[in-house]
């Protein structure tokens, strides 16, 4: 599930006085422990898809705090952030707020959220690495992972079968061998693998699979590392994929990939787990052949291991100005704890922890996304990362590489220079 950093980068002015309003460095669980009212902001996903889980968390808190009034507000993306930015400078903040995991960083940097004691939350010792990273800044925890959404490969079984391939590939060599056959059979106007060039989530999976990274921290200073030998190896392989199998517009991003896939001019995609099924929806399937003909599989990496994937998802945070931080933490634990995770899994989400994730591998219906999510990566948790995203440094680099405007080495070096200019700036 992709979440974009929005107005968080521009809220410095309203944040000046926020940091001084919080509790202790480890989270102030006693602050507002006897609060009489709790305000919870969630997205419409919870309202539409798992309202019973919200009610269960409410009941758990109300049992411990008889008479407490719990108020819920629901927002779409990015309506929530617009409203949140407006109230953070006031005393009318929510006590719990849902954040997309890539949205967390800008707010943590500016001191908008109260630190929490991770050990007080169920499964915190087993939080998925990518989600744990999203709530951690400068060694402190500022939120609780809620649920995750992973990325998988998806291909058309009929097209694969037409070249004699009847089962999903287990290795990258098997994958490219099958794609080579498909590309040869279908011709140059067909994309054996529709891989948008500007899709940095996919491209960085190649980078991390090769042992590279977007940026690294050394002595408290972050520095771009896309031009390292390891990162260049991953970017070079990504370019090979785009050159060999992607015969669509090489200036596009992934935002309408599911629509393009539904048009029937490609055999495979690598994206969010929901994209294949959405392509097969009658509204998007222009071929009339995709229903029951698409298959998810774990994306194999060139390294010989499963491809590390970017984990999207949501976190829950407590604004530093909340007067009910103690009860807010209790509500979050009731909502994201053991029973809550079972409910979220039943609704098709990936859990926030490795323990529950492991159990999903035994179920054929969930084995692919669960296995894929085991190997994951997240963006650099650097103070200026939001500015890197805002400037679309990675997308520009990848477009230059994919279109052949610049060599892999030159584009990566230019991207590192652009990253270095802003990544350490709060």
């Amino acid at each position: 599930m992709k979440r974009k950093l929005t107005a968080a980068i521009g809220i410095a002015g309203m944040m000046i006085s926020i940091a001084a309003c919080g509790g202790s460095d480890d989270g102030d669980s006693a602050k507002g422990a006897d609060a009489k009212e709790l305000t919870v902001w969630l997205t419409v996903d919870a309202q539409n898809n798992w309202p019973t889980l919200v009610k269960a968390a409410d009941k758990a808190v109300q049992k411990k705090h008889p008479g407490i009034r719990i108020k819920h507000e629901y927002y779409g993306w990015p309506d929530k952030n617009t409203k949140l930015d407006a109230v953070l400078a006031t005393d009318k903040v929510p006590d719990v707020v849902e954040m997309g995991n890539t949205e967390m960083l800008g707010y943590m940097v500016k001191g908008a959220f109260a630190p929490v004691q991770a050990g007080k939350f169920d499964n915190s010792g087993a939080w998925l690495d990518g989600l744990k990273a999203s709530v951690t800044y400068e060694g402190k925890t500022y939120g609780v992972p809620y649920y995750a959404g992973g990325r998988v490969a998806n291909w058309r079984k009929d097209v694969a079968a037409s070249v004699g391939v009847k089962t999903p590939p287990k290795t990258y060599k098997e994958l490219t061998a099958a794609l080579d056959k498909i590309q040869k059979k279908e011709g140059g106007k067909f994309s054996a693998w529709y891989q948008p060039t500007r899709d940095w989530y996919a491209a960085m999976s190649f980078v991390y699979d090769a042992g590279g990274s977007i940026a690294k921290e050394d002595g408290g200073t972050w520095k771009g590392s896309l031009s390292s030998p390891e990162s260049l190896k991953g970017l070079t392989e990504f370019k090979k994929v785009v050159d060999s199998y992607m015969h669509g517009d090489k200036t596009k991003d992934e935002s309408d990939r599911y629509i393009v896939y539904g048009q029937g001019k490609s055999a495979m995609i690598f994206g969010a787990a929901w994209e294949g099924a959405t392509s097969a929806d009658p509204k998007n399937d222009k071929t009339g052949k995709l229903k029951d003909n698409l298959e998810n599989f774990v994306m194999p990496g060139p390294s010989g291991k499963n491809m590390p994937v970017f984990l999207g998802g949501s976190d829950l945070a407590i604004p530093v100005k909340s007067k009910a931080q103690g009860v807010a933490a209790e509500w979050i634990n009731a909502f994201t704890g053991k029973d809550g995770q079972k409910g979220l899994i039943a609704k098709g989400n990936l859990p926030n922890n490795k323990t529950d994730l492991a159990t999903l591998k035994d179920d054929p219906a969930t084995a692919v996304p669960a296995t894929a999510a085991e190997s994951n990566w997240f963006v650099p948790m650097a103070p200026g990362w939001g500015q890197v995203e805002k400037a679309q440094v990675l997308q520009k680099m990848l477009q230059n590489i994919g279109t052949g405007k610049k060599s892999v080495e030159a584009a990566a070096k230019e991207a590192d220079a652009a990253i270095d200019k802003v990544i350490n700036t709060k």
Side-chain angles (χ1 to χ4, degrees), residues 357-372:
L357 189 71
T359 66
L360 300 184
K361 293 173 62 179
D362 297 327
D363 184 344
T366 55
V368 169
T371 302

Side-chain angles (χ1 to χ4, degrees), residues 127-159:
W127 283 343
L128 297 177
D129 294 339
L131 295 186
K132 182 178 180 180
S134 74
V135 298
T136 306
Y137 181 65
E138 294 187 340
K140 298 177 185 177
T141 304
Y142 290 92
V144 177
Y146 172 12
Y147 66 92
R151 282 168 165 73
V152 298
N154 179 286
W155 74 359
R156 289 180 55 174
K157 292 186 288 186
D158 59 338
V159 178

Side-chain angles (χ1 to χ4, degrees), residues 167-354:
T167 59
K170 300 296 184 182
T171 68
Y172 191 72
K173 184 177 180 179
E174 290 177 355
L175 173 63
T176 55
L179 292 175
D180 287 342
K181 292 178 181 178
I182 291 171
Q183 193 63 68
K184 183 178 180 180
K185 178 179 182 294
E186 298 293 337
K189 293 184 179 181
F190 187 89
S191 294
W193 176 350
Y194 181 76
Q195 179 51 64
T197 307
R198 291 170 63 91
D199 177 11
W200 64 276
Y201 296 101
M204 293 306 104
S205 287
F206 279 86
V207 167
Y208 282 91
D209 180 69
S213 60
I214 300 171
K216 288 187 175 182
E217 183 182 18
D218 184 13
T221 299
W222 287 86
K223 189 173 180 61
S225 55
L226 290 166
S227 57
S228 71
E230 296 83 2
S231 295
L232 289 176
K233 181 179 179 182
L235 289 171
T236 299
E237 187 60 38
F238 180 75
K239 175 176 170 55
K240 184 177 179 181
V241 166
V242 172
D243 289 347
S244 300
Y245 310 121
M246 169 60 177
H247 298 290
D249 184 349
K250 294 185 179 180
T251 66
K252 293 189 66 173
D253 64 16
E254 72 282 7
S255 60
D256 67 344
R257 173 170 45 210
Y258 68 96
I259 294 175
V260 176
Y261 194 34
Q263 293 171 352
K265 296 182 180 179
S266 53
M268 174 186 151
I269 57 173
F270 171 43
W274 55 264
E275 290 187 53
T278 306
S279 298
D281 186 295
K283 294 182 295 185
N284 300 315
D285 180 9
K286 305 306 180 183
T287 70
K289 301 177 180 179
L290 299 186
K291 185 179 179 181
D292 300 323
N293 197 29
L294 296 181
E295 185 172 24
N296 283 337
F297 59 94
V298 178
M299 180 68 186
S303 68
K305 301 177 181 179
N306 291 340
M307 185 79 86
V309 298
F310 175 84
L311 283 184
S314 284
D315 301 321
L316 296 174
I318 302 172
V320 73
K321 284 188 175 182
S322 166
K323 296 179 177 63
Q325 292 181 23
V327 180
E330 292 175 13
W331 190 93
I332 290 174
N333 194 41
F335 190 51
T336 64
K338 295 179 180 178
D339 290 338
Q341 290 301 308
K342 290 179 181 178
L344 289 167
I345 289 170
K347 293 296 183 178
N349 301 294
L350 291 178
N352 66 3
N353 66 92
K354 299 173 185 176

Side-chain angles (χ1 to χ4, degrees), residues 7 58 62 81 85 170 202 260 367 388:
D58 289 351
Q62 289 167 337
N81 286 4
D85 293 347
K170 300 296 184 182
V260 176
V388 177

